[in-house]
Amino acid sequence: MRKAGLQVFRWRQERGGIDLAMALAYKMSGGRPTFRANENQSVISGLVAFHGVRSAVCGFVVPTTHGRTAFALERIGGAHVNARSPLGFEYSLDRRILADNAAQRQFAAGMVDLVHEGYRDFLRSGQAYTPREIYRLGAESEMNGGNVYDTYTGPELAHAHDRWADLLCFRLFPVGARHGEDNAEYVNLEQLRDTSGHCWFIQNRIDLSLANGTFNCLYPEQAHPLASQLLSGSMSHLLPLGPNFVLEANRQASMLFDADPQSTIFMVHTKAPGFSKEVPVCIQRVNLANITFDTMLHGILAEVRGRWTGAVYVRDFDRPDGKPYAFLGRHRVVVKRSSRLHKHLHELKDAGRLARIAVLVHDLTEDDAGFTAKSVAALL
């Protein structure tokens, strides 16, 4: 770490019978803390055993789940957390993990609160306790493998609103403004709740098949300028009245998409940068006025595990080819409301046949690749 020029922020606190010691690795650049070891790598590249979270009860180490934090703690440092009393805890039958009960959930929530309290002290010590710096540091903590945005986020937005709204920050680029850092607006979750308008973003990889089995691709993290270009040009007639913003492909955008029951997608054909011909592009849209923290209103038909694993969303949308579904990455599929496919999936859900839904959605992935199975042909 010394060879890499890394510094360590150490913090320890005890509250409510939970003792937490945390250490974060960082560098100073331009008078600001950064989680970059260099331009392309996170500080995790300079860490050997100094990362991850170790939890214990009365000093006896036992793995447990702790939920999402505002930054990728395991990738930039580590923490040891200990519950000083065994009261209420239960083990799984193999004694390898704490069972999910009230004591374990209280322990996990207390740990996350302490982690965030220490993180706020780190931000203040580095003069970085602003939405702009918090957003930057959060993105840096998720470099080289973090930032998973193609899964259903569930109650994450609600938890953040209740416990760490100041640490969940968003970067908004107004549609029509020149793409660049100077035109970005930074807000935390509380400030976003007072912001009106619509947010647009691309979270699908854009592929173009070439000769001899090769292909060209544009990753979602690279597609932000394309979204701005489309919304300022060929898609400008689709912009609702009021402010419109472009977001980057990250989990914050996924939280907003999940929390808007009326969020939708648009499928367009365009020539992406570096592509020789037009390809289909899926753009997602969220209305900030519709955001709800009640997961029962998120419009999720089912979460399934099996041959395909992920969440099935129900939304209103249209595809140029008329198909009643669209995949948003590996673990999300959007189904058109009131379509034959939607009705069939709903019947399977009511019958408790979640494994059958997983098989059927897997068959939809085959159809999306150009091979339509008999099981889905009549539903399309």
Side-chain angles (χ1 to χ4, degrees):
M1 290 176 62
R2 283 193 295 269
K3 288 181 180 180
L6 299 181
Q7 301 181 43
V8 180
F9 173 83
R10 300 182 186 277
W11 188 87
R12 183 169 183 171
Q13 185 65 264
E14 189 273 335
R15 181 187 299 153
I18 300 176
D19 183 19
L20 182 134
M22 180 172 69
L24 306 178
Y26 69 100
K27 294 179 73 171
M28 293 300 295
S29 176
R32 303 182 303 169
T34 177
F35 295 136
R36 292 178 181 267
N38 53 54
E39 184 177 351
N40 299 312
Q41 288 184 307
S42 164
V43 293
I44 196 174
S45 62
L47 307 181
V48 181
F50 174 58
H51 60 92
V53 177
R54 188 182 73 180
S55 55
V57 176
C58 298
F60 292 92
V61 176
V62 55
T64 184
T65 57
H66 58 77
R68 177 177 168 81
T69 54
F71 61 104
L73 170 61
E74 296 88 345
R75 305 185 65 78
I76 59 172
H80 291 172
V81 57
N82 179 54
R84 295 192 172 191
S85 168
L87 185 64
F89 289 106
E90 297 175 341
Y91 283 88
S92 61
L93 288 177
D94 59 8
R95 291 183 173 270
R96 293 185 178 181
I97 193 170
L98 290 178
D100 181 18
N101 63 8
Q104 189 276 334
R105 289 190 289 272
Q106 184 177 1
F107 177 46
M111 182 188 73
V112 170
D113 287 345
L114 285 173
V115 165
H116 287 150
E117 183 177 332
Y119 190 54
R120 291 185 184 98
D121 284 349
F122 166 75
L123 295 170
R124 293 187 184 102
S125 69
Q127 306 297 313
Y129 191 39
T130 65
R132 179 172 184 157
E133 294 300 296
I134 293 171
Y135 181 90
R136 175 182 62 84
L137 288 167
E140 289 178 353
S141 75
E142 295 176 337
M143 292 176 60
N144 306 124
N147 187 28
V148 178
Y149 46 79
D150 62 349
T151 62
Y152 174 52
T153 61
E156 290 180 17
L157 191 69
H159 290 168
H161 179 262
D162 293 341
R163 309 182 81 98
W164 42 280
D166 58 325
L167 299 178
L168 182 61
C169 296
F170 301 79
R171 177 158 67 177
L172 312 175
F173 291 91
V175 172
R178 185 175 181 180
H179 179 73
E181 181 67 23
D182 293 339
N183 294 319
E185 300 178 15
Y186 293 86
V187 295
N188 61 32
L189 181 54
E190 277 299 328
Q191 295 166 333
L192 186 75
R193 292 286 289 162
D194 297 327
T195 303
S196 61
H198 293 76
C199 296
W200 303 73
F201 42 89
I202 295 174
Q203 291 188 318
N204 273 10
R205 195 178 74 176
I206 302 169
D207 294 323
L208 173 63
S209 298
L210 303 175
N212 301 320
T214 61
F215 67 94
N216 195 2
C217 73
L218 186 71
Y219 288 97
E221 294 83 354
Q222 303 170 305
H224 184 262
L226 174 62
S228 297
Q229 175 187 332
L230 289 171
L231 294 170
S232 299
S234 60
M235 294 184 64
S236 59
H237 64 287
L238 297 176
L239 296 179
L241 294 176
N244 284 270
F245 306 99
V246 183
L247 273 61
E248 293 162 302
N250 54 30
R251 197 159 182 86
Q252 292 96 310
S254 298
M255 291 181 192
L256 298 182
F257 185 84
D258 295 347
D260 175 8
Q262 304 301 319
S263 59
T264 188
I265 62 170
F266 294 87
M267 305 286 288
V268 298
H269 279 76
T270 188
K271 185 180 289 187
F275 282 40
S276 59
K277 61 181 180 180
E278 290 189 346
V279 289
V281 175
C282 177
I283 298 185
Q284 298 164 236
R285 189 189 72 188
V286 171
N287 185 349
L288 294 176
N290 293 337
I291 297 299
T292 176
F293 298 125
D294 185 351
T295 57
M296 298 299 294
L297 302 177
H298 282 183
I300 304 300
L301 186 143
E303 291 184 84
V304 300
R305 290 181 175 273
R307 199 168 184 187
W308 179 85
T309 297
V312 181
Y313 296 65
V314 179
R315 295 292 191 269
D316 292 312
F317 66 93
D318 290 300
R319 280 181 56 159
D321 58 9
K323 291 187 177 181
Y325 71 88
F327 284 93
L328 302 178
R330 300 163 297 171
H331 304 295
R332 298 181 299 177
V333 62
V334 184
V335 173
K336 186 173 181 178
R337 195 186 315 274
S338 299
S339 64
R340 185 179 299 179
L341 176 63
H342 173 212
K343 293 176 182 177
H344 181 67
L345 289 172
H346 201 287
E347 291 171 357
L348 294 176
K349 167 71 180 302
D350 289 344
R353 301 181 62 188
L354 298 184
R356 177 57 190 160
I357 293 178
V359 172
L360 191 139
V361 176
H362 170 77
D363 291 343
L364 291 179
T365 66
E366 297 281 318
D367 177 76
D368 203 39
F371 306 97
T372 304
K374 292 182 180 180
S375 59
V376 298
L379 302 173
L380 303 180

